[in-house]
Amino acid sequence: MEIDLLGPVRVRDGDRAVQVGPARQQCVLAILAAEAGRVVGVPALVDRVWADRPPAGARNLVQTYVARLRRVLVAAGADGASVLVFQNDGYRLAIDPEDVDLVRFRALVAAGDLGPALALRRGTPLAGIEGEWAQRTREALEEQWLLARCRYGEEQLRLGKPGEVLADVGELLAAHPLHEKLLELRMLALWHAGRQAEALETFRDARARIVGELGVEPGSELRALHERVLHGAPPAVESTWTARNDLPRVPNDFTGRDRELKWLSDTVSDGANVLTVDGMAGVGKTTLVLCAARLLAAGYPDGQLFLDLQGHTPSQRSMSVGGALESLLRAVGTAPEDIPDDVGERASAWRARLAGRRVLLVLDNAADVDQVRPLLPGAPGCLTLVTARHRLVGLEAAALSVDTLPEGEAVELFERAAGRRGAHGDAVAVAELCGYLPLALRLAGARLSNRPLWTDEDLVTRLRKGVDSGVAAAFTVSYEALEPLLRRAFRLLGRHPGIDITPHAAAALLDASVDDAEDTLEALLDVHLVQQHASGRYRLHDLLRQYALDLAEPDEPAAAVRVLDHYLYSANEADRQITGQARFTPVPDAVIAFVGNGMTWFDRELANLRAVIEFACRDNHDRHAWQLALTLCGYFDAKGLYASAVAVYDQVLPFATRSGGAGKVLSAKGIMHWGAEENDAARSALDEALRIAVAEDDRKAIGTVKLNLAALDWRIGEFAGATAHLDEALPLLRSLGEHRLIGNALNNKGIIHLRRGRLDEALACFEESLEARRIADDLRGEATSHINIGEVQTRRGAHADALGSYRHALDLAVGVGDRVMEAFALTNIGASLTSAGDPAEAIDHLERGAALFAELANRGELAATLAYLALARWRCGQAESARRDAERAVRIARAVGARYEEAKALEALGQVHPAAAEECLPVALRIFTDLGVSEADELRQRIGC
């Protein structure tokens, strides 16, 4: 049996439709089907069917409609009484939600399967049903359908079908002329069809109509798209969306709270989209909200997200707004390099990502209103549930304050946790001694379930021995019932500095094997002293963490050093997999996690690592602070997270200064400034790092810093300075046997030879560099060497060989997750294809390379890629697009002071736009000549100078 709401309401048994009955009877079925699996109270049914004008005896009419509907369901092959059930003064349609076309539509949209989703619509949703609820639901469904049509249109654009999109969006705009997402789609389609002028005209006409009819300016996204089209910047089609369910599980013994759950459900049904639940610690706010979220999840098919804001977590700062926004953006599929550094821009990006989607967001453990407000979605179709210990005054939200459990529910929860029933009077006494708090009741019940010979009276006796509050007494009973080793484990877990803990981290804390640590965590989980929120990841409730810290014994601070060692040397191993080098030698007996893929491990552990670095700084573990920060260097560089990296290195620099690591931190900081194209800041940091290295007579550090200074010099065209640095660095590095660094030095020296047209010398350097990198197991470096070997092959006209080198480099880059090298490889493949006479295929690679460099904020290489893209477009007859790309390349190169790239862009502009050749080419020649590169002679010969 299936129920269809996306058109006239109907019930089907396969292809056979069953008549539902009159309009109000259809309305009752539609309400229940839209909430399939959940109870809808009779008062809510009356309100939705008749709004504020219910007839006398409306409740009896609902009962009549339900009785008739049961007969309809029987006719469709279902058991009417068991499918449409009365429960808690309401009715529940007990069917698989997927049997309702509306639910299937939302699920297909969330999965990105847009074609089948759009095909489900048979006409106007809920056709023929009148009333405020039906109209409000119809309008919401219409908006969801339109947004799905827009997303489908974007998919078609990515497949190169702007003509089909324009035909489709034209029909939709005829019915919805002021719909801004449709207007954006039309402008995007016109752009992709090469009709920029019409795209701009669409905006002008739309703006005039919006201002004239609504009295407001168009929205920020439509205005931003207009700016991009106006300035010739290719508008980006929306990035990938990841629909996920992060909701932790609800305890099996969840008990009661029917009134609160009904309030939450009814309030959402009434249109509220931000709800707060406040109450004292341990009262069960999180569990209540998670239970509600599970019940409401079907209405939010684009994802259900959970984020602990750590507002009251002992020994940890509450999560910053910027950190929370970063976590949320990453959760919905935003690449790290696409996340803005500015907090305000992150908030805007978060709201933009949610536009047109239905997402359920749980913000747990909030500190205050200021922490929550920037995280709230702007989209009306989203729902946010917030928990906090106090009322969030000033937040526009429906608020529910949660008290302790009523006596009956408290007794029931205790008995369910204990797994047995005892004397009622003793159970009441336990509930009272536990303060009716769910957390304490679960602990007490777990304690009793593990002592089969105890009676409830025995437990009462032990609880009454406590002199603290009820919850503390329950903690004490659970703690004192543990074996000594488990007591110590619980105390030590309170000292863990991260967000959550894995068995490997627990093994370090406990000074135990990983298997024993996992068994310990599971034993503590069994008695509710830890929680498991994801497979292999555990954490303590805030109250239990504080209780564990209060129990800490004098000899236990050593555990902090062991867990710091765990994170340092695990990160060191992950870094080795990315960079090919191990920066530090692990101490004996350090617990090192099985890292697997280094990039994936850092992605998973980044929040923990940041918290651990902060802890190390706060507790004066100087060496661990700066060394752990250094292990992140390769990850930050590969991901393009330069601003985040600089902030980390600034944080740890004072601790490195007093413990002998300042030079290394400054060197890493310089590399990050270099990646961000902040040349002056990079030189300042590297010069200071070199001064320290010379003063300490650290030959490896001297060689490393000179390598980085050489890279900085050749970027700005100072080839003589770069060569001098490399000539000084290479003998040092060879004497030390530092193959990875030797490979870097030879690679950079080869680039200088290549720029000067010395192809034989360049190839020799690149091949020797490749061999050194293979010895060092430096896969990222190997990718770079293959790219540069391919450049020599391209210069010699061996395009097939060059393409082989570039594609091998691309495979290596993708394999290690290095997006920077991936962008270089794509760009070089595109340039080689253009030279080989296949500019059409080249365009795809160059567009992808340009998009990656733009995401990574690597503007110098973006300029170079745009210059190549201009030439490819020009050879495909796209003269206007080619001119725009070349002009943009010139602007970007000049803005970042990349002189070589500026000259290449000017040369491209002179070629694709002959009217500019007289002005551009002499300037390009002058720059090439100043740099002393081979392109000067080539260009001079071409223009006859």
Side-chain angles (χ1 to χ4, degrees):
M1 181 192 71
E2 296 183 351
I3 299 175
D4 297 332
L5 306 181
L6 300 178
V9 175
R10 68 182 186 183
V11 178
R12 288 185 296 110
D13 179 13
D15 294 332
R16 182 176 64 88
V18 178
Q19 292 296 318
V20 177
R24 287 204 171 95
Q25 189 166 303
Q26 293 179 33
C27 187
V28 171
L29 177 63
I31 293 167
L32 295 172
E35 306 274 351
R38 288 180 283 166
V39 174
V40 181
V42 172
L45 280 167
V46 170
D47 180 65
R48 294 180 198 180
V49 174
W50 289 282
D52 56 353
R53 296 181 300 278
R59 188 182 185 94
N60 291 332
L61 282 172
V62 168
Q63 293 174 347
T64 300
Y65 291 145
V66 167
R68 293 174 180 172
L69 286 171
R70 284 176 175 148
R71 290 195 289 272
V72 170
L73 299 177
V74 169
D79 183 344
S82 63
V83 168
L84 212 174
V85 298
F86 183 74
Q87 182 179 341
N88 296 334
D89 194 33
Y91 293 95
R92 178 169 63 91
L93 194 58
I95 62 173
D96 185 344
E98 288 285 322
D99 289 337
V100 181
D101 63 350
L102 168 59
V103 176
R104 286 201 308 282
F105 168 77
R106 289 171 174 165
L108 287 167
V109 169
D113 202 358
L114 298 172
L118 294 171
L120 289 173
R121 178 169 163 136
R122 298 173 291 109
T124 302
L126 308 179
I129 300 179
E130 299 178 354
E132 292 180 13
W133 175 84
Q135 185 59 28
R136 188 169 66 245
T137 303
R138 236 186 324 265
E139 290 171 358
L141 289 171
E142 183 73 11
E143 180 65 14
Q144 292 166 33
W145 182 74
L146 285 173
L147 292 171
R149 290 288 292 267
C150 289
R151 289 174 60 191
Y152 184 69
E154 290 171 355
E155 282 189 0
Q156 298 301 100
L157 289 180
R158 282 192 283 270
L159 296 173
K161 301 177 181 179
E164 295 180 16
V165 174
L166 284 170
D168 191 35
V169 79
E171 295 179 10
L172 295 172
L173 278 169
H176 307 275
L178 301 184
H179 195 285
E180 294 197 9
K181 283 291 180 185
L182 291 174
L183 291 165
E184 289 176 29
L185 182 60
R186 175 172 168 77
M187 290 176 66
L188 282 169
L190 288 167
W191 171 274
H192 284 276
R195 294 154 62 181
Q196 181 185 8
E198 291 179 62
L200 294 171
E201 183 181 358
T202 295
F203 177 81
R204 287 194 296 270
D205 292 345
R207 180 185 178 277
R209 191 162 183 177
I210 290 169
V211 171
E213 296 186 23
L214 304 180
V216 297
E217 288 290 335
S220 59
E221 292 180 42
L222 187 58
R223 295 199 310 272
L225 177 58
H226 171 249
E227 286 295 313
R228 292 181 65 83
V229 174
L230 186 64
H231 293 99
V237 177
E238 181 185 359
S239 57
T240 302
W241 174 269
T242 300
R244 54 192 279 174
N245 186 334
D246 287 339
L247 300 179
R249 70 179 186 87
V250 177
N252 293 330
D253 57 12
F254 178 77
T255 303
R257 299 298 192 193
D258 291 343
R259 181 185 64 82
E260 290 87 348
L261 287 171
K262 185 176 184 303
W263 182 89
L264 289 166
S265 178
D266 290 349
T267 304
V268 171
S269 297
D270 290 340
N273 56 21
V274 181
L275 288 76
T276 66
V277 176
D278 61 87
M280 66 182 292
V283 80
K285 303 180 295 295
T286 300
T287 304
L288 169 64
V289 163
L290 287 175
C291 185
R294 293 284 183 189
L295 294 172
L296 296 166
Y300 301 90
D302 291 329
Q304 302 87 40
L305 307 178
F306 177 90
L307 185 63
D308 181 359
L309 297 177
Q310 303 161 23
H312 303 281
T313 303
S315 76
Q316 290 183 7
R317 295 181 184 178
S318 60
M319 185 176 287
S320 67
V321 172
L325 287 165
E326 179 181 356
S327 296
L328 292 170
L329 284 166
R330 288 168 68 109
V332 297
T334 308
E337 56 271 17
D338 291 340
I339 298 174
D341 295 321
D342 179 75
V343 173
E345 291 179 7
R346 283 186 183 181
S348 297
W350 169 237
R351 290 191 295 272
R353 291 290 275 138
L354 293 179
R357 301 189 185 277
R358 294 184 63 82
V359 172
L360 190 157
L361 173 63
V362 176
L363 299 174
D364 189 40
N365 198 9
D368 52 39
V369 173
D370 292 337
Q371 186 188 32
V372 171
R373 186 176 284 120
L375 311 181
L376 297 179
C382 294
L383 172 65
T384 306
L385 305 176
V386 187
T387 72
R389 290 192 182 175
H390 54 82
R391 181 69 64 94
L392 297 176
V393 178
L395 193 69
E396 294 183 2
L400 172 69
S401 294
V402 177
D403 203 348
T404 55
L405 289 171
E407 181 181 282
E409 292 180 4
V411 168
E412 183 182 354
L413 174 58
F414 164 68
E415 290 178 337
R416 292 184 65 183
R420 53 176 162 157
R421 292 182 179 274
H424 181 71
D426 290 333
V428 170
V430 170
E432 181 180 0
L433 288 165
C434 288
Y436 305 106
L437 283 170
L439 178 62
L441 289 162
R442 284 195 176 91
L443 287 170
R447 181 81 311 272
L448 191 61
S449 71
N450 282 281
R451 288 292 183 272
L453 298 181
W454 282 12
T455 65
D456 290 4
E457 184 180 3
D458 294 325
L459 179 61
V460 169
T461 300
R462 284 166 173 80
L463 286 171
R464 282 179 174 154
K465 289 179 180 177
V467 295
D468 298 314
S469 66
V471 67
F475 290 176
T476 299
V477 167
S478 294
Y479 172 74
E480 290 183 347
L482 297 173
E483 298 173 0
L485 287 177
L486 286 178
R487 290 188 194 181
R488 175 177 175 272
F490 176 69
R491 293 195 304 270
L492 290 175
L493 288 173
R495 304 185 71 90
H496 181 253
I499 307 303
D500 58 11
I501 190 165
T502 63
H504 282 84
L509 270 173
L510 306 179
D511 197 16
S513 72
V514 175
D515 288 342
D516 287 346
E518 186 167 18
D519 290 344
T520 297
L521 289 167
E522 289 294 321
L524 293 172
L525 179 67
D526 288 342
V527 293
H528 297 277
L529 286 172
V530 300
Q531 302 166 335
Q532 185 178 39
H533 68 98
S535 178
R537 307 191 78 88
Y538 304 80
R539 61 187 175 199
L540 274 71
H541 187 282
D542 292 351
L543 289 178
L544 285 166
R545 180 189 285 264
Q546 187 59 60
Y547 182 76
L549 286 171
D550 292 342
L551 293 170
E553 296 186 359
D555 64 330
E556 290 176 349
V561 175
R562 292 195 300 271
V563 81
L564 287 170
D565 283 342
H566 157 72
Y567 281 109
L568 171 58
Y569 298 117
S570 296
N572 187 57
E573 172 59 19
D575 181 48
R576 186 192 65 77
Q577 294 192 22
I578 295 170
T579 65
Q581 66 167 330
R583 298 175 192 269
F584 308 107
T585 302
V587 299
D589 301 324
V591 179
I592 301 176
F594 174 71
V595 171
N597 180 284
M599 298 294 285
T600 302
W601 187 85
F602 275 122
D603 283 340
R604 188 170 58 244
E605 294 294 338
L606 187 58
N608 268 334
L609 295 173
R610 284 175 168 167
V612 170
I613 289 172
E614 185 173 299
F615 165 79
C617 292
R618 187 173 64 246
D619 278 31
N620 297 314
H621 295 280
D622 296 1
R623 179 181 63 83
H624 287 94
W626 65 264
Q627 289 187 351
L628 185 52
L630 283 186
T631 64
L632 284 157
C633 188
Y635 172 78
F636 282 143
D637 188 29
K639 288 286 189 179
L641 300 174
Y642 302 119
S644 296
V646 168
V648 169
Y649 294 130
D650 282 338
Q651 179 186 14
V652 303
L653 184 57
F655 304 94
T657 300
R658 69 190 193 192
S659 59
K664 293 180 174 62
V665 170
L666 284 165
S667 184
K669 185 170 181 274
I671 293 171
M672 295 301 114
H673 281 303
W674 185 89
E677 296 174 344
E678 297 164 353
N679 295 337
D680 290 343
R683 188 172 298 280
S684 175
L686 291 172
D687 283 346
E688 179 62 14
L690 181 60
R691 185 194 65 77
I692 294 172
V694 171
E696 296 175 349
D697 193 27
D698 186 337
R699 298 168 68 205
K700 179 179 177 182
I702 292 171
T704 302
V705 177
K706 284 189 172 292
L707 271 182
N708 295 330
L709 284 167
L712 181 59
D713 279 342
W714 69 251
R715 164 183 274 172
I716 62 176
E718 296 289 343
F719 292 148
T723 301
H725 284 307
L726 292 170
D727 287 343
E728 293 170 359
L730 263 170
L732 276 174
L733 299 172
R734 289 188 193 278
S735 69
L736 297 170
E738 291 287 345
H739 294 288
R740 187 187 65 83
L741 297 176
I742 292 168
N744 292 350
L746 288 165
N747 181 75
N748 291 352
K749 197 165 185 177
I751 290 173
I752 295 171
H753 285 310
L754 184 65
R755 294 286 183 263
R756 290 177 167 172
R758 303 167 184 165
L759 299 186
D760 290 341
E761 292 91 334
L763 183 59
C765 284
F766 293 144
E767 288 179 341
E768 190 179 352
S769 165
L770 179 60
E771 183 59 29
R773 286 165 161 172
R774 282 174 174 162
I775 293 172
D777 195 25
D778 179 5
L779 294 179
R780 292 182 71 208
E782 286 186 46
T784 307
S785 295
H786 281 294
I787 286 172
N788 290 327
I789 289 170
E791 284 209 41
V792 175
Q793 293 164 333
T794 297
R795 294 279 190 97
R796 289 176 166 172
H799 298 300
D801 292 339
L803 281 170
S805 295
Y806 295 145
R807 285 177 170 142
H808 187 51
L810 180 62
D811 290 342
L812 286 170
V814 171
V816 299
D818 188 336
R819 292 170 68 79
V820 176
M821 283 302 110
E822 181 183 351
F824 274 113
L826 287 167
T827 294
N828 281 275
I829 290 171
S832 187
L833 286 168
T834 302
S835 299
D838 192 358
E841 186 180 349
I843 288 174
D844 175 64
H845 289 83
L846 291 166
E847 285 180 338
R848 289 159 61 196
L852 267 177
F853 280 129
E855 290 172 3
L856 295 164
N858 192 329
R859 293 178 293 168
E861 297 303 335
L862 173 60
T865 304
L866 288 170
Y868 288 128
L869 183 58
L871 294 172
R873 291 196 197 281
W874 178 68
R875 293 187 182 183
C876 285
Q878 303 172 12
E880 184 61 24
S881 296
R883 179 187 62 77
R884 286 196 303 266
D885 285 335
E887 288 176 344
R888 186 176 173 218
V890 173
R891 289 196 303 271
I892 293 171
R894 284 176 173 168
V896 300
R899 298 190 69 215
Y900 177 79
E901 285 76 13
E902 179 187 350
K904 294 292 286 184
L906 286 166
E907 184 181 24
L909 180 58
Q911 184 170 343
V912 306
H913 187 47
E918 187 174 344
E919 177 184 352
C920 295
L921 295 182
V923 178
L925 178 59
R926 186 168 64 250
I927 296 173
F928 283 145
T929 302
D930 290 346
L931 296 175
V933 296
S934 62
E935 284 88 346
D937 291 336
E938 295 169 7
L939 182 56
R940 188 178 291 111
Q941 184 177 0
R942 184 153 61 87
I943 64 178
C945 291

